[in-house]
């Protein structure tokens, strides 16, 4: 399965951190990056666009991508970016859904559905940062339902890291991508209502993947 652009963006950062590329120097070309990372050139292009939106690389027409003359996030503990925060949520989110699906009653389901309604309203202005805040509010509510303080702390850290990491620099969300993400999220809620643990977990993974694709799609185009 083709990796999402946000994942490839983080891999590019790690590659740059471990290479001789210095601020102001040109990154390897799209073809070389695609071969090195095992993905399509279109995915590399989307990943570079995401890094450009975060101010980490400069894309020059007919020249290539250049590392910006500033400190960039370190994979060994520096400032996290949207891709890293979302990757953490992709890891934790389905597990939270599965656990809550097993134990939640009617009142808990109504609570998370009200939060989903607020998420829907946050999507109206197509702001990536507001979408992130709405999504992490939903998963933070799931963590609270589990009653596990460490899960709550983990979600709080993920939410803060993403909000401070550059979502405000991403392009406005495409309407078609918004609809796809929200439809998959609602399908997950319906599965949770039925206590269908396996389906709810799969839908959670699918909706989070759709969220990542939504963030880094250009003009509603399909990710390859």
């Amino acid at each position: 399965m083709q990796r999402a652009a946000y994942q490839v963006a983080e891999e590019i950062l790690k590659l740059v951190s471990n290479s001789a590329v210095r601020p102001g120097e040109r990154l390897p070309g799209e073809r070389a990056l695609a071969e090195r990372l095992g993905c399509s050139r279109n995915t590399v292009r989307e990943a570079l666009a995401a890094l450009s939106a975060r101010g980490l690389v400069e894309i020059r027409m007919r020249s290539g991508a250049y590392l910006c003359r500033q400190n960039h996030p370190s994979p060994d503990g520096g400032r996290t970016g949207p891709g890293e925060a979302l990757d953490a949520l992709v890891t934790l989110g389905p597990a939270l859904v599965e656990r809550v699906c097993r134990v939640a009653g009617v009142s808990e389901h109504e609570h998370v559905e009200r939060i989903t309604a607020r998420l829907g309203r946050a999507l109206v202005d197509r702001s990536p940062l507001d979408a992130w805040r709405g999504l992490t509010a939903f998963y933070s509510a799931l963590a609270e339902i589990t009653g596990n303080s460490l899960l709550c702390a983990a979600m709080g850290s993920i939410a803060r890291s993403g909000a401070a990491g550059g979502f405000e620099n991403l392009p406005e969300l495409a309407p078609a991508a918004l609809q796809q993400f929200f439809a998959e999220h609602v399908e997950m809620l319906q599965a949770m209502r039925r206590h269908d643990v396996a389906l709810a977990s799969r839908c959670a993974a699918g909706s989070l993947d759709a969220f990542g694709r939504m963030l880094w799609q250009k003009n509603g185009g399909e990710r390859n």
Side-chain angles (χ1 to χ4, degrees):
M1 181 181 294
Q2 180 66 46
R3 296 193 304 286
Y6 69 86
Q7 294 172 318
V8 173
E10 297 303 319
E11 291 175 16
I12 291 174
L13 288 181
K14 292 178 182 178
L15 180 63
V16 168
S17 296
N18 295 327
S19 70
V21 179
R22 297 180 179 180
E25 293 183 344
R26 185 177 183 276
L27 274 63
E30 290 178 0
R31 184 185 300 276
L33 286 172
E35 292 176 353
R36 180 75 177 269
L37 300 175
C39 61
S40 71
R41 290 184 66 180
N42 282 343
T43 300
V44 168
R45 193 171 298 119
E46 291 181 15
L48 290 173
L51 293 175
S52 176
R54 291 159 59 183
L56 301 178
V57 303
E58 178 187 356
I59 298 176
R60 303 176 189 174
M61 292 297 292
R62 295 185 295 277
S63 179
Y66 292 76
L67 188 63
C68 287
R69 295 183 180 277
Q70 61 179 43
N71 293 329
H72 55 279
S74 167
D76 298 318
R79 182 177 62 84
T80 58
E84 189 169 349
L86 182 55
D87 186 56
L89 184 57
V90 166
T91 301
L92 182 60
L96 287 173
V97 167
E98 181 175 339
R99 183 162 178 176
V100 170
C101 188
R102 294 181 187 278
V103 303
V106 174
S107 60
E108 286 85 3
H109 286 301
E110 290 177 347
H111 176 57
V112 296
E113 286 166 5
R114 285 194 295 271
I115 294 176
T116 292
R118 293 201 293 272
L119 170 60
R121 291 193 292 273
L123 295 174
V124 170
D125 65 2
R126 296 162 60 182
S127 162
L129 180 58
D130 287 346
W132 172 254
R133 287 171 172 164
L135 185 66
T136 52
F138 173 84
Y139 281 98
S140 293
L142 296 188
E144 291 172 4
I145 290 172
T146 70
N148 187 306
S149 61
L150 292 179
L151 291 175
C152 292
M155 271 309 310
S157 178
I158 290 170
R160 289 190 298 273
S161 295
F167 276 100
E168 71 279 3
N169 296 322
L170 295 178
E172 187 177 76
L173 302 175
L178 279 169
Q179 293 174 6
Q180 180 184 1
F181 156 70
F182 200 65
E184 295 195 37
H185 186 88
V186 169
E187 183 180 0
M188 175 191 69
L189 284 179
Q190 294 170 345
M192 291 177 69
R193 271 279 190 180
R194 299 192 301 270
H195 297 283
D196 189 335
V197 176
L199 179 59
S201 181
R202 289 197 302 272
C203 288
S207 68
L208 289 169
D209 183 62
F211 189 85
R213 295 197 309 270
M214 175 179 70
L215 289 178
W216 281 282
Q217 280 190 61
K218 293 185 64 178
N219 302 319
E222 293 298 325
R223 179 174 63 90
N224 294 313

